[in-house]
Amino acid sequence: MSLSLDGHYAAPDDPLNMGWVMPYAHTDVARDHLATLWEPATTALLGRVNAEGFLAFWPTVIGMAGADPRDEAFAKWLVETDKVVLSSTLGQAPWERTTLVDKPTADAVTDLKSTEGGDILVLSSASVIKALLAADKVDRLALTIFPLFLGGGPRLFDDGLPAGKWTLVSQTAGEHGTLALVYDRVR
């Protein structure tokens, strides 16, 4: 999940505009951080809005002239991996290898965890991550902190989350002051 230094995942004026992320998303630290997350994962879990954005953009990176090999590798993984999209409004999945699920996020993750496979990766879907944090269902939290203040907008960490301890397992500082952090939940 990408966050501003003042703790927001989206700007206040247009929550769907992720333009503020782009100057930092193309850095080595951000690309390498993402690779460490998707490589062990066998399932991508997304909310509908994020799925529509990701799955409209990332497949176009495959074979794109001048594409960074790390971006192209992620795009291929996203296309080829199993995807679960949480949605109460889509009637059918417009993407290959996608299952639509219309149930509470925590229940969907409990079902996914009961099947064999690798990691379940939630890709920047704030509504999904927030629901899983509230249900204490997150085992690993990967954050990329970008050095700017958005001055408002939605926050990832709402008041009222279950108390818990996390341990830092990875930290990388990169260009422009970007930080890639990975925390594991201590249970």
Side-chain angles (χ1 to χ4, degrees):
M1 187 74 195
S2 298
L3 295 176
S4 63
L5 194 57
D6 60 345
H8 301 280
Y9 63 83
D13 54 343
D14 183 1
L16 297 180
N17 180 355
M18 296 302 290
W20 65 274
V21 169
M22 297 319 292
Y24 307 102
H26 298 288
T27 63
D28 286 333
V29 71
R31 284 178 165 132
D32 292 343
H33 179 64
L34 181 59
T36 65
L37 303 174
W38 67 259
E39 287 174 344
T42 57
T43 304
L45 177 62
L46 304 115
R48 179 194 53 84
V49 172
N50 207 37
E52 289 174 339
F54 267 55
L55 297 170
F57 171 74
W58 282 104
T60 68
V61 173
I62 300 170
M64 180 186 289
D68 186 285
R70 294 166 293 188
D71 294 343
E72 192 166 3
F74 172 71
K76 287 177 183 176
W77 173 83
L78 186 60
V79 168
E80 296 169 1
T81 199
D82 292 330
K83 293 166 280 298
V84 175
V85 175
L86 299 170
S87 176
S88 61
T89 58
L90 288 175
Q92 69 180 57
W95 314 286
E96 291 183 27
R97 298 187 64 128
T98 301
T99 302
L100 297 178
V101 175
D102 181 8
K103 63 170 57 174
T105 303
D107 294 345
V109 166
T110 297
D111 292 349
L112 283 171
K113 282 185 168 187
S114 70
T115 63
E116 288 189 33
D119 292 347
I120 302 163
L121 177 60
V122 179
L123 292 166
S124 300
S125 292
S127 63
V128 174
I129 296 169
K130 289 171 78 137
L132 294 174
L133 286 168
D136 199 16
K137 295 276 188 182
V138 176
D139 297 322
R140 174 163 280 182
L141 187 59
L143 304 171
T144 308
I145 310 295
F146 299 128
L148 75 159
F149 280 14
L150 291 177
R155 294 184 178 277
L156 184 62
F157 304 111
D158 293 329
D159 288 342
L161 291 175
K165 184 173 174 147
W166 296 79
T167 186
L168 181 66
V169 295
S170 173
Q171 61 184 343
T172 307
E175 306 95 320
H176 313 295
T178 299
L179 296 175
L181 307 169
V182 178
Y183 291 91
D184 280 350
R185 180 72 166 90
V186 177
R187 302 224 183 251

